[in-house]
Amino acid sequence: MISFLDVKGINAQYRTEILEAMTRVFDQGTYILGKEVELFEQEFAAYCGSRHAIGVANGLDALILILQAYKELGVMADGDEVIVPANTYIASILAISKAGMVPILVEPDIKTYNIDPLYIEQKITQRTKAILPVHLYGRPADMDPVLALARKYNLKVIEDAAQAHGAFYKGKRVGSLGDAAGFSFYPGKNLGAVGDGGAVTTSDDALADAIKALRNYGSHKKYYNLYKGYNSRLDELQAALLRVKLRHLDDENQRRNAVASRYSQEIVTAHIVKPEMRVDGSQVWHLYVVRTSERERFQKYLLDNGVQTVIHYPVAPHHQPAYKEWHAMKFPVSEMIHREVLSLPISPVMTGDQVSEVIKVVNAYA
């Protein structure tokens, strides 16, 4: 069986380096907000091209803390609206709700699966305070028109970069394109921890300062609490491991790109729609997502022939029980995407033979 993602194999490449890093943490005896977190924050900020990176507990918290920090700074308030793609993973939307704001859903571009800038402006109201584009599946959103709208209406741009570590947009890395960005280090991400983890990147000094306090009970100084904060800190062990894996991220992204290139060039069956591939290599292929109106049949065929796949994501956010108040809404593009998408195996440790086998099995589908 060709597994969808061999997380164990990915981490095994760096076993010696990772164990050395974890031993260093163990021996140092500081396990919360110590030297490893500080160094990872410096290295990840430099990697992304931002002035600050703030390590937090997970990707959802990263987005919540950005919005909460803007509230503490008087930039946003409860009930303000944040525009977000309708077809994203629900965490992008949950963050807005949990911060006391209102998610405003916008259809994606069917060619890219990212938010369609053509539909954003018609959703802007006097309550709109931010646009939250998602770099879905590792492909950067089309940021120039998003940023132009933000300038026109004085809005903040918050990137959800949870699936796009290392991706580029016109020569700049994601995480440095808007006012702030949220990252996840969930184990299956391109830059994955061995547990939960996340980070915020920003070049806004005041925002970074507020987030640093909010993640730590609202405190800059122990036992003195400026805000009603959270306990959302990236721990030392995860930071040490992420420092190791960050050094190898670009190489791993190149290997993912090589797998995606072979899929795009060599899969020729007419039964599926392949993802659009940018010629500039700016994507990092967190996922290689195809579409078919015969998804259940196609997925079963692949599994029966030794290829494991995953559906990202089977239920559109506005159809989730958590958002039952949205069930009457219609987002036909998003609904089609959620009904038809299927993710093929892709990882930096796939062998050439495994890639060839996936291509052979897919092409034999009838």
Side-chain angles (χ1 to χ4, degrees), residues 196-258:
D196 273 321
V200 173
T201 57
T202 184
S203 291
D204 182 329
D205 296 341
L207 184 70
D209 192 58
I211 292 170
K212 286 178 183 177
L214 282 168
R215 71 170 174 185
N216 189 38
Y217 299 98
S219 172
H220 287 298
K221 180 181 178 183
K222 196 168 185 177
Y223 305 130
Y224 293 84
N225 303 83
L226 181 61
Y227 308 120
K228 297 172 184 175
Y230 304 79
N231 177 8
S232 181
R233 304 172 298 205
L234 181 67
D235 72 65
E236 285 286 287
L237 281 171
Q238 301 297 351
L241 175 142
L242 289 166
R243 291 184 65 207
V244 171
K245 295 185 71 177
L246 181 60
R247 297 195 290 267
H248 302 282
L249 179 57
D250 286 343
D251 288 339
E252 290 203 355
N253 284 341
Q254 288 177 9
R255 281 182 262 158
R256 286 176 176 270
N257 191 66

Side-chain angles (χ1 to χ4, degrees), residues 149-222:
L149 285 170
R151 288 191 295 270
K152 181 177 178 180
Y153 292 98
N154 192 29
L155 307 176
K156 297 298 183 183
V157 175
I158 301 166
E159 303 170 69
D160 183 337
Q163 300 185 10
H165 314 73
F168 284 95
Y169 178 82
K170 298 188 176 180
K172 293 183 67 178
R173 294 225 195 240
V174 303
S176 66
L177 303 173
D179 296 285
F183 287 86
S184 166
F185 304 127
Y186 180 79
K189 303 296 187 184
N190 290 39
L191 181 60
V194 292
D196 273 321
V200 173
T201 57
T202 184
S203 291
D204 182 329
D205 296 341
L207 184 70
D209 192 58
I211 292 170
K212 286 178 183 177
L214 282 168
R215 71 170 174 185
N216 189 38
Y217 299 98
S219 172
H220 287 298
K221 180 181 178 183
K222 196 168 185 177

